[in-house]
């Protein structure tokens, strides 16, 4: 059994001592917090200045590499201009047709005893087909957005066989040929003149600069 | 002043100080840190791109450099900076002489210019006569001239004496230089 113990220190001294300890703890905590905050802020400033120096260094390196490239400035100019030229050519020839090849194909695709009487085409006069006309035309198996229409008059010594023409013209499918319509066949001084309209899609276009 | 008020003022003062520190010092520095990190990535990417370009240029042979210059000269003939009618007419005359067609009319309307891309187009009209084969050769020659010539209209009509009369319309171009 332990002996009874009595604290003889006056209570106001004990309270004062506790307050003193509390103040000391609070000021220590505040000091630590302040040190942490100041340390963090210092770290941020130092780190940012290091990063800024890195950025400046890389910028200087980029500038140095560009200076080194200046030796090839003529080549870079030609390369840039050539690219611009190629783009220009591709754009202005977008609707171009290889006419000599096309006329060769056309003359070899019409029956042997016939010849072109007249021929007329303007490439800008393409038809832009809308959905309704596409749906209405069941013969158009693979409709396209654009169609180029060629008007020609073919002369033949005899009444032309339209079925034979259709069959031979079908050989132009690889060149965008879609269909043909025959307008009239008139006997004129012993020669039959038949107006035909040939319809081609984009497959007809030359695109001679598109792959360059 | 009571102890409670003192504690309250100390806590409130500390909070205000912390908030002010966050908004006026720490937050801007954190934003700057993010911005710098992003800028560094961008600059490093730029450096890599430029270094690769330099390596590419360093590896170029003299032939490639000369080739680019030759191509530029060829393209400058195809699409010059000016209309240069005399050179164009000379090219067309060569084409018609080689093909065998008879050229009746050759005209270029220097006022009928149309803006295209970064240049202008001028319409050229040609009319004449010849056989179908001659006409095909003529069109082929026109489309193979040193000067770029884009045919956009042709018309053929058979003549009573044989052969065809023809009309060809097309465009020649001048390009605005980037200089």
């Amino acid at each position: 059994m332990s002996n009874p113990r009595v604290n003889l220190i006056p209570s106001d001294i004990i309270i004062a001592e506790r307050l003193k300890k509390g103040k000391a703890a609070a000021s220590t905590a505040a000091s630590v917090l302040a040190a942490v905050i100041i340390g963090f802020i210092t770290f941020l400033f130092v780190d940012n200045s290091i990063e800024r120096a890195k950025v400046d260094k890389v910028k200087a390196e980029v500038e140095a590499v560009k200076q080194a490239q200046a030796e090839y400035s003529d080549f870079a100019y030609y390369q840039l201009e050539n690219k611009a030229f190629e783009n220009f050519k591709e754009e202005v020839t977008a609707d171009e047709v290889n006419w000599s090849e096309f006329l060769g194909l056309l003359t070899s695709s019409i029956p042997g005893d016939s010849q072109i009487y007249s021929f007329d085409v303007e490439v800008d006069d393409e038809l832009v087909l809308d959905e309704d006309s596409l749906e209405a035309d069941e013969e158009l198996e693979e409709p396209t957005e654009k169609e180029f229409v060629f008007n020609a008059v073919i002369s033949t010594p005899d009444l032309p066989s339209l079925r034979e023409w259709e069959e031979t013209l079908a050989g132009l499918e690889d060149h965008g040929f879609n269909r043909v319509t025959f307008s009239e066949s008139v006997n004129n001084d012993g020669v039959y003149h038949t107006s035909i309209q040939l319809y081609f899609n984009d497959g007809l276009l030359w695109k001679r600069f598109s792959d360059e | 002043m009571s102890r409670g008020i003192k504690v309250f003022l100390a806590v409130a003062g500390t909070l205000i100080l912390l908030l002010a520190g966050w908004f006026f010092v720490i937050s801007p520095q954190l934003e700057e840190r993010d911005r710098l990190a992003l800028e560094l990535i961008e600059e490093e990417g730029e450096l890599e791109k430029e270094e690769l370009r330099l390596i590419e240029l360093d590896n170029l042979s003299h032939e490639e450099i000369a080739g680019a210059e030759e191509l530029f000269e060829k393209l400058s003939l195809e699409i010059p900076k000016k209309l240069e009618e005399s050179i164009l007419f000379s090219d067309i005359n060569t084409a018609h002489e080689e093909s065998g067609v008879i050229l009746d009319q050759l005209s270029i309307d220097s006022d009928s210019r149309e803006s295209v891309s970064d240049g202008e187009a001028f319409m050229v009209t040609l009319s004449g006569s010849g056989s179908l084969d001659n006409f095909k050769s003529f069109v082929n020659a026109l489309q193979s001239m040193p000067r770029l010539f884009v045919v956009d209209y042709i018309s053929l009509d058979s003549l009573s004496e044989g052969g065809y009369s023809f009309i060809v319309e097309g465009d020649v171009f001048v390009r605005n230089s980037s200089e």
Side-chain angles (χ1 to χ4, degrees):
Chain A
M1 202 173 170
S2 60
N3 294 326
R5 298 177 68 185
V6 178
N7 189 350
L8 297 176
I9 300 170
S11 62
D12 55 339
I13 292 176
I14 292 169
I15 291 166
E17 190 64 26
R18 280 182 187 162
L19 271 175
K20 196 178 167 187
K21 281 182 181 173
K23 278 180 184 174
S27 68
T28 306
S31 301
V32 169
L33 184 65
V36 166
I37 291 169
I38 289 167
F40 182 60
I41 290 170
T42 308
F43 165 76
L44 282 179
F45 273 96
V46 171
D47 192 52
N48 280 357
S49 56
I50 291 169
E51 284 288 300
R52 199 171 293 115
K54 279 185 191 171
V55 170
D56 290 344
K57 186 172 172 248
V58 175
K59 275 184 178 174
E61 283 174 4
V62 169
E63 207 49 45
V65 173
K66 282 186 176 172
Q67 289 287 329
Q69 287 177 6
E71 191 187 332
Y72 301 97
S73 60
D74 283 353
F75 174 77
Y77 169 75
Y78 292 137
Q79 209 179 32
L80 201 69
E81 280 290 286
N82 291 347
K83 182 71 188 158
F85 268 121
E86 299 296 354
N87 290 341
F88 184 93
K89 281 166 64 179
E90 191 176 337
E91 186 180 329
V92 298
T93 58
D95 280 345
E96 191 182 26
V97 174
N98 186 343
W99 289 104
S100 56
E101 185 188 82
F102 176 73
L103 287 172
L105 285 167
L106 187 62
T107 48
S108 63
S109 298
I110 58 176
D113 57 351
S114 54
Q115 63 168 336
I116 295 174
Y117 181 75
S118 65
F119 185 86
D120 185 328
V121 62
E122 188 161 12
V123 179
D124 291 341
D125 279 355
E126 73 268 25
L127 293 177
V128 177
L129 302 178
D130 57 30
E131 284 185 10
D132 293 341
S133 66
L134 293 177
E135 283 169 7
D137 194 341
E138 292 176 2
E139 290 178 10
L140 212 57
E141 290 178 0
E142 291 181 0
T144 56
E145 286 186 358
K146 276 186 180 178
E147 270 202 336
F148 300 91
V149 188
F150 295 72
N151 300 302
V153 177
I154 308 292
S155 57
T156 50
D158 302 311
L159 196 63
S161 163
L162 302 186
R163 181 180 293 275
E164 188 186 345
W165 278 14
E166 279 189 306
E167 282 173 6
T168 51
L169 285 165
L172 293 177
E173 266 180 15
D174 291 344
H175 295 82
F177 175 74
N178 270 341
R179 61 196 165 122
V180 58
T181 57
F182 299 86
S183 298
E184 56 181 328
S185 186
V186 184
N187 187 347
N188 188 4
D189 297 333
V191 177
Y192 289 87
H193 289 167
T194 306
S195 296
I196 64 172
Q197 289 79 43
L198 302 163
Y199 295 83
F200 285 81
N201 63 29
D202 287 354
L204 174 72
L205 298 177
W206 195 358
K207 299 190 185 300
R208 59 170 157 159
F209 300 118
S210 62
D211 293 326
E212 281 186 13
Chain B
M1 196 182 288
S2 76
R3 189 172 155 251
I5 292 171
K6 279 183 185 173
V7 169
F8 171 76
L9 285 176
V11 170
T14 306
L15 281 175
I16 289 167
L17 200 64
L18 286 174
L19 280 173
W22 174 261
F23 283 112
F24 294 110
V25 182
I26 297 174
S27 181
Q29 285 301 314
L30 286 172
E31 281 172 18
E32 175 74 352
R33 182 184 164 85
D34 290 344
R35 190 190 65 76
L36 284 169
L38 199 66
E39 192 178 350
L40 184 62
I41 291 168
E42 282 172 5
E43 289 296 331
E44 280 174 344
E46 175 79 3
L47 178 62
E48 193 178 346
K49 196 181 85 183
E50 295 299 334
E51 278 177 340
L52 283 172
R53 172 81 179 140
L54 184 59
I55 291 167
E56 204 177 276
L57 288 168
D58 282 337
N59 289 334
L60 283 172
S61 64
H62 290 296
E63 287 79 12
E64 284 172 297
I65 293 172
E69 192 175 349
E70 277 171 26
L71 179 60
F72 175 77
E73 283 164 9
K74 177 183 166 286
L75 291 168
S76 301
L77 284 177
E78 283 189 278
I79 311 160
K81 288 179 192 168
K82 292 178 182 170
L83 188 53
E84 291 174 355
E85 287 168 277
S86 57
I87 300 173
L88 173 66
F89 288 173
S90 165
D91 286 348
I92 292 174
N93 275 328
T94 307
H96 108 257
E97 281 164 10
E98 285 174 359
S99 64
V101 295
I102 296 164
L103 198 57
D104 297 331
Q105 191 199 344
L106 159 57
S107 66
I108 177 163
D109 186 353
S110 56
D111 292 331
S112 70
R113 57 180 67 188
E114 186 187 340
S115 291
V116 287
S117 187
D118 54 346
E120 285 173 314
F122 293 85
M123 196 173 84
V124 179
T125 306
L126 306 146
S127 63
S129 57
S131 70
L132 188 60
D133 284 340
N134 288 349
F135 178 69
K136 280 192 280 186
S137 302
F138 180 54
V139 174
N140 185 43
L142 284 175
Q143 293 189 306
S144 316
M145 288 195 307
R147 183 74 178 262
L148 181 65
F149 185 88
V150 176
V151 175
D152 46 39
Y153 173 80
I154 63 172
S155 163
L156 278 181
D157 267 309
S158 66
L159 298 167
S160 55
E161 63 269 27
Y164 293 88
S165 66
F166 65 81
I167 297 172
V168 176
E169 286 175 4
D171 291 322
V172 291
F173 305 89
V174 295
R175 189 176 154 256
N176 303 327
S177 173
S178 58
E179 279 179 311

